[in-house]
């Protein structure tokens, strides 16, 4: 189990956070992300201004608990979630939470995140 780090401050849900939710949620669609999707996600991550640990918190502590089930579903969502849906269902974290998950879905998200991370500065890896 990874060591716990000190709390990390998280900004409120604003347009930057919503854009990050929108982009990272593409990793949870019932489709195979490609280079274009990874480029888009990396661009949004950089434009968000979030620190690497903050981005990982958004991915693993906010999106993963809610959206991972989509990848377990036989008929998962493949076209994306509306901003209203994301705002209703995703709960922002305000302090450091466990990063990562277990099982096949977590392995797939880690694989996709690595593809995104290759397009980002080294501290995002």
């Amino acid at each position: 189990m990874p060591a716990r780090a000190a709390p990390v401050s998280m900004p409120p849900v604003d347009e930057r956070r919503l854009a990050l939710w929108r982009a990272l949620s593409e990793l949870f669609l019932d489709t195979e992300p490609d280079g274009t999707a990874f480029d888009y996600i990396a661009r949004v991550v950089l434009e968000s201004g979030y620190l690497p640990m903050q981005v990982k918190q958004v991915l693993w502590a906010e999106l993963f608990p809610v959206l991972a089930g989509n990848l377990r579903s036989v008929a998962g969502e493949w076209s994306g979630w509306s901003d209203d849906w994301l705002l209703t269902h995703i709960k922002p974290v305000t302090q450091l939470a466990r990063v990562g998950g277990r099982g096949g879905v977590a392995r797939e998200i880690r694989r996709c995140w690595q593809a995104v991370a290759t397009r980002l500065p080294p501290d995002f890896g």
Side-chain angles (χ1 to χ4, degrees), residues 9-104:
S9 175
M10 295 294 288
V13 177
D14 58 9
E15 184 53 43
R16 291 180 320 126
R17 182 90 155 254
L18 181 58
L20 194 56
W21 284 353
R22 199 180 303 123
L24 291 171
S25 71
E26 290 205 8
L27 300 178
F28 296 90
L29 293 175
D30 196 15
T31 59
E32 181 63 35
D34 59 13
T36 302
F38 296 140
D39 290 344
Y40 160 70
I41 295 166
R43 180 179 51 78
V44 173
V45 166
L46 289 174
E47 289 173 355
S48 76
Y50 280 64
L51 300 171
M53 180 49 82
Q54 291 173 316
V55 173
K56 291 174 186 173
Q57 286 293 284
V58 168
L59 176 62
W60 291 104
E62 295 179 359
L63 297 175
F64 186 83
V66 176
L67 300 179
N70 191 64
L71 293 177
R72 293 183 193 105
S73 173
V74 175
E77 176 65 39
W78 54 269
S79 63
W81 295 274
S82 70
D83 289 354
D84 286 339
W85 192 96
L86 291 170
L87 288 166
T88 300
H89 293 88
I90 306 298
K91 303 299 177 225
V93 295
T94 56
Q95 53 186 298
L96 193 65
R98 184 167 177 244
V99 173
R102 299 176 194 259

